Amino acid sequence: MDKKNVAQKWLTQAQASPQAWHFCWALLRPDKVPEIQFFGASTLHAKISSHWSDLPPGQLDSLRSQLITQIGQFASGPKLVLTRLCVALASLVLHVLAETWPTAVPDLLCAFQTGESVTEADGQARCLALLELLAVLPEELQSSRIPASRRSQLRSALAVDWSSVCSLLQQLLQRPDAPCPVRERVLRCVSSWLTLDIALKDSEGLLESCLALLKESELFDTAVETIVSIISQPDCQRFADSLLKVVPQVLGLQEQLKKAVQDGDMETSHGICRIAVALGETHCRTLLEQVDHWQGFQALVSMIMSCTGTPGHYPVDETSSSLTLTFWYTLQDDITSLDAERQTLYLQIYRPVYFQLVDVLLQKACFPRDEDYAAWSADDKEQFKTYRVDISDTLMYVYELLGPELLRSLYDKLGTLLTDTTHPSSWQDIEALLFGFQSIAETVDVSYSDVIPGLIGLIPLITANNVQLAETIMFTIGSLAEWLADHSLMLASVLPVVLHGLSNADLSVACVSALKRICRECRHDLHLHANDIMAVSQAVLVKDIHKSPQCMWIMQALGFLLSALPSDEILGKLLSLVTPHIQQLEKLANEPPSSANKLPIVHILGLLSDLFSTFDLNKQSERSEVMRPVQTQPHHNNPVVVVLQQAFPLIQTILSKWLNEPEVVEAVCAVFEKSLKTLLHDFAPLVTQLCELIGQMFSAYPQASALDLTRQLVHIFGCEKDLFSPIIALLELITNITMSIFQLGSRDHPDVVESFMQLHTQALRRKSDLYLSDRLDIKAVFYCGILSFKFPEAPTLKATCLLFTELISHCEEIPAVREVLQEDGKLLLQTLLEAIGGQSPRSLAEHFAEVLFSASCNCPSMLSVWLREALLPPGFPSSHLTTEYKEHFCQQILREQVSKRRMKDIVKEFALLSRGLQGTEYAANY
């Protein structure tokens, strides 16, 4: 590999040398192997595209004629060399087209068509070489690094020659004896030239020829690509007359489409569907505006509807229907954005069409027969699932057009299926209608619909003897949770269905999701059902029916439920729920630590976390007129606090054995963190104990989760005088321990460093006077931050920037901050500029800008000194920066005290210049 790298470097240097203009021809001699010939052709392209100014004077004509000759000689291959030579000639044309060779394209057409051909094969080879050259010409324009104005000029210059190119291409397509490779290359050529924004009116004949090729199977796929490219040109909208000619041509493909569907020819039906959708979707608005021709467009819509309703199941029997879904969005949007008169006309025409679409989509969403579905691959099932999600989104959108009448239609059909005993219905048909309901109710407010009570009444009548049907029933009930909150009497109809399904592991996600949504939305109306919900939930939790994520959801649901019960019932029910889990935890805690009992410990702690995350007594009064004030006296004997106080010794026991296991420590911290976020000031009785516990944890084994928990304590209780002492003691301990980590080497703990930065940022924001005492050494935090700027991890760097942004803003009120900035502000700035100038990811430039903006606003005089001293050494932070630019940068920074956006732009420019990227393609997208 070392030798290969040396050789590669030498060859690259050779390509860039002036001698390359000469030796490239020697490498193209017929006696060389193809690899050497390819290098010769690549060298030619490299010289022409990147070193054009090196071309010796007077050599242009010679270079041009030699290239044309070489392309003729390589017309029969090797193809790689031929293509590279064509790209080189295309690059040459782009250099001279506008100024010295405006007739380049006609000249090349003439040169390759008039050359002598000894045999018919030679003639075909020359034709293919010409087509290759024509194809790469627009491609080279697209890929070359050319200024936008020059690119536009060249695009226009090439487009002028489209008529002569188009004429040649059309002749070749229409010649009955033209070989298949020639016509395939013609189609590629057409697609390439379309990138020059060729008008549809200038391609009408060519489009007709391409459509004729759809009858030839070997050219079908390429013809479809080319046709779609032609009719997808957005500029076509300027030529409505040309578009109107295309519509009947596309409609003429219906017989071929019909036969393909009958024969099960998925490729052909897919291709024709693509063409119809491309025409309808790209030009929907333009065709709608041609009101006199509404029947032609309606026929196209009907053709697309037939594609949507292609018989069979996606993706096993057909792949066309999914292509059409976005068309229906476009048509709906375009109709509803027309003026009132035309909108009224088209709604009369298309409302029935959209009702038909709903029927078609629900038919397509139907599951296949059980035995067929069982034979599907996992990949097919996953694609069908995604397809149904797309149909669901489409139905939701269509509801905006059809309104409550759509729900009425679905309800009537469902009622007929469930009550008509003369025609037994399949579970698939029932499931599809429920799926339609659920799709709409999931995102649309159905509170005013008069059919929902009837739907709720129908659900218990459904015999759910199939998993897919039962799942959809559960998802439908879940989607109606908000409606049930306003119609609580109906809970008695559907809650038993959910509770019955809770014991079926196959329905786990759907059923638990429905229960959680009902408990969240209807919590204040579940008192009568609480015992049933608790009993069934506890039973399934004990039996381990559900996987861990669903068990967590159940606990969240029970948290919602319990917190809305009468206060005298809560503690008893809470204890009955958690006691079995705490007993199991005690048993596990008394066993020696092992991988076998670690997972169940983490699982049970997770259950408690999720229960407490939704157990919010503060929301009990949300229905009452007098809302609970933000700052209130804590609830006495809050049930969660009671449970945590009882469990505290057990948690200490677990930690004593599992301190070195991050997962267990994180799970313990999560129990307290989620309780804190929910209880807020009600958590106060536990603060002192918890501070001691965190201190013990962090002393034994510093982890980020302990720091994050401390940050929550600071956020909620930072201003509570009674709890001030344990929190500042904990903060002091954590800070000292983290200092020692930095001294010993913090590189292996980016998560701890990140959380440490976030903790002190929060402390500065919430209670900056903590740093007025001698107990917290803000200077030490400052130097830890300096070291953190050396980390490569983006989250750690962001957290460090936030710390310094906040810290600098307190330079006037905290003497220690002012002192450390006076002593070592220059060090901060040097570190920051090194990070901006190349040491850190470019994407973080705007976060570094926040620090500079804070310094510019809060200590401009010090910043002025730091900036000039830091930037004084030549080559710092980059050799790309001139002395003049550094001075300009200083002035810009010091002037900017108003606009953060402007400061970010200044810093981004500095970052690009430092890396030598200013003016590159990367910089344009930065």
Side-chain angles (χ1 to χ4, degrees), residues 612 639-648 651 671-672 675 683 686:
F612 298 153
V640 172
V641 173
V642 173
V643 170
L644 286 174
Q645 284 174 327
Q646 291 180 6
F648 217 92
I651 291 172
V671 171
F672 291 111
S675 305
F683 192 88
L686 287 162

Side-chain angles (χ1 to χ4, degrees), residues 881-910:
L881 301 177
T882 64
T883 306
E884 293 75 19
Y885 176 75
K886 289 182 184 181
E887 180 57 33
H888 174 62
F889 174 70
C890 291
Q891 291 171 2
Q892 284 183 303
I893 294 291
L894 295 170
R895 262 200 310 266
E896 200 50 69
Q897 296 181 358
V898 176
S899 170
K900 282 187 184 180
R901 171 50 49 203
R902 176 70 190 128
M903 180 67 85
K904 288 173 183 177
D905 290 341
I906 294 165
V907 171
K908 282 182 179 180
E909 183 187 35
F910 184 87

Side-chain angles (χ1 to χ4, degrees), residues 351 354-359 362 394-413 433 436-437 440 449 451:
R351 268 182 72 85
Y354 272 90
F355 274 109
Q356 180 193 352
L357 173 65
V358 171
D359 292 341
L362 292 179
T394 309
L395 289 170
M396 177 268 291
Y397 204 73
V398 168
Y399 179 82
E400 293 183 19
L401 184 74
L402 301 181
E405 197 180 334
L406 172 55
L407 289 177
R408 166 62 61 185
S409 168
L410 294 176
Y411 172 68
D412 289 344
K413 287 172 182 169
L433 285 166
F437 263 113
I440 295 163
S449 172
V451 304

Side-chain angles (χ1 to χ4, degrees), residues 760-761 763-774 776-779 803 806-822 862:
H760 278 281
T761 303
L764 280 162
R765 281 180 187 160
R766 192 79 178 134
K767 193 166 179 60
S768 59
D769 57 359
L770 288 173
Y771 299 92
L772 294 173
S773 71
D774 295 334
L776 274 177
D777 188 353
I778 191 66
K779 292 184 180 182
L803 171 73
E806 188 66 33
L807 184 140
I808 291 168
S809 71
H810 295 281
C811 67
E812 290 301 323
E813 65 202 67
I814 304 175
V817 170
R818 188 165 58 253
E819 287 170 20
V820 75
L821 287 174
Q822 286 170 341
M862 286 194 283

Side-chain angles (χ1 to χ4, degrees), residues 241 626 868:
D241 291 343
V626 182
R868 288 189 165 83

Side-chain angles (χ1 to χ4, degrees), residues 821-830 833 852 855-856 859-873 876 886-887 889-891 893-895 897:
L821 287 174
Q822 286 170 341
E823 291 167 12
D824 270 320
K826 178 185 169 184
L827 174 62
L828 167 62
L829 210 65
Q830 283 174 328
L833 292 172
L852 284 171
S856 182
C859 47
S861 56
M862 286 194 283
L863 177 62
S864 175
V865 176
W866 305 336
L867 266 174
R868 288 189 165 83
E869 288 183 2
L871 288 170
L872 189 61
F876 178 86
K886 289 182 184 181
E887 180 57 33
F889 174 70
C890 291
Q891 291 171 2
I893 294 291
L894 295 170
R895 262 200 310 266
Q897 296 181 358

